[in-house]
Structures are given as structure tokens and as C-alpha cells.
Amino acid sequence: MRDTYHEGLDSLSERLVEMTRLARHAVARATTALLDSDLNAAQEVISGDEEINRLDQEIEDTAFSLMARQQPVASDLRTIITSLYMRGDLERMGDHAVHLAKIARRRHPDSAIPKPVRSIVLEMGHQAEMLVTKAGEVITEKDPDTAWELDKDDDRMDRLRRKLLERILAPGWEYGVEATMDVTLVGRFYERFGDHAVHVADNLVYMVTGDRREDYEPEA
């Protein structure tokens, strides 16, 4: 019985890591869809979200089963509760990738991203991939120090979004209302993707240490 219990706990982390892998692939393909007007990439992201949702449901079912049957306490209970929070953030990251892909699909065969901001969107896509990859690593390693750093990593995403908004609000922007709305939404979806990666890392800090991120003191 205890072996089954610990296998259930381990499966939570394994599924969370798989969700980070799928979210990384989704946001990478969504970026390709936006910049290359790649309809196949957009459709791949949209249909692939079903797998993220399936893992989300499996984590919820496993967590509730462990709580109902095993009545876990202390660190095991923290693992279960924080896994539920993390799986919610990862599911929403998948949703944000889908939103990006739908913008690309809506503008096909044209690109949704005008030339003056393409390099910024490409950077945001790369930053999103880095953040979710790092989130997967901290779940795997259960490393609160690296998790604590993720908030600083997300600052670059925030700066890129501000740069994007400055570009479309600057004199000389001549791409019309639809393109302006698309670019504004794209920036928002990438920013929220990064925010959810930070939430995952913050919950990892709590899972491992019992401290909230703001109360945790990383090792020097």
C-alpha cells in the first residue's frame, strides 16, 4: 500500500514535468505560426492542447485520490496541494499558446506580426520557452534556489512587452487597428505565459521548504 502511495506522489511530479514539455512545444510552435504564417503549426498547437488538458485531469484525479485514501500530512500534503496549483498554471500556459495560435490562424495566409515588431515577438517566444523549460527543471530537481530566481528571469519578458507596446504606440506605426490589436494581444499572452511559469516556481519553493517565496532565503 505504501509503495502504491509513493508511486502516486511520484507520478504527480512526472506528469507536471510532461506538462512543461508540452507547454514548451506549444509555445514554440505558436511562435512559428505567428511569424511564418504557418497554418499547420497553428493547428498542431490547438489540437495538442487536448493532451495538456488530459494530464491536468489525471493530476487532479490522482491528488484527490491520495488525499481521500491516504490522508497525507506535512510535506506529502504540501506536495499534493502545490501540485494541484502547478497543474492549473501549466494548463493555462497551454491555453495561452492556443490563443497565440488562433491569432495566427485567423490572419492566415498573412502574418499577424508586422515587420517592425517581428524580432521582439521572436524574443518573447524564446523567453517563454526558457521560462517553461526552467520550470520543468526546478520540478525535476526540486531546487528552490533556482525556482526563486525565476521571477527575475521573467523581468525580461515584462521588458519585452513594454518594448512591444512602445513600438506600436510610436509615431509612424501604420499597420491599422487589426494589427495593433493582434500585437497587443500577442504581447499579453506571452507575458501571462511567463507569469504562470513564475507561479509554478513559487509553488515549488513552498512545496520543498514550507516557505513562501518572499520569505525564503536562498543559499549564498
Side-chain angles (χ1 to χ4, degrees), residues 115-206:
K115 186 175 180 179
V117 294
R118 289 175 66 83
S119 63
I120 302 174
V121 170
L122 179 60
E123 284 188 70
M124 295 185 86
H126 289 164
Q127 189 69 8
E129 289 184 61
M130 184 277 287
L131 287 165
V132 70
T133 298
K134 199 165 184 178
E137 290 170 355
V138 300
I139 295 170
T140 300
E141 302 296 331
K142 292 185 170 52
D143 180 357
D145 290 350
T146 302
W148 189 86
E149 296 170 359
L150 212 67
D151 190 53
K152 293 182 180 179
D153 294 331
D154 187 49
D155 288 345
R156 176 167 175 75
M157 182 71 86
D158 295 336
R159 290 194 298 270
L160 286 167
R161 181 171 183 248
R162 287 194 295 271
K163 184 178 179 181
L164 192 68
L165 293 176
E166 289 168 2
R167 191 66 59 85
I168 65 176
L169 292 172
W173 177 261
E174 54 185 23
Y175 294 91
V177 174
E178 286 188 348
T180 301
M181 291 297 296
D182 285 344
V183 172
T184 302
L185 287 171
V186 163
R188 179 59 173 162
F189 292 140
Y190 278 121
E191 182 195 38
R192 291 301 296 149
F193 188 97
D195 289 344
H196 286 299
V198 173
H199 294 165
V200 169
D202 288 350
N203 276 296
L204 188 281
V205 172
Y206 180 70

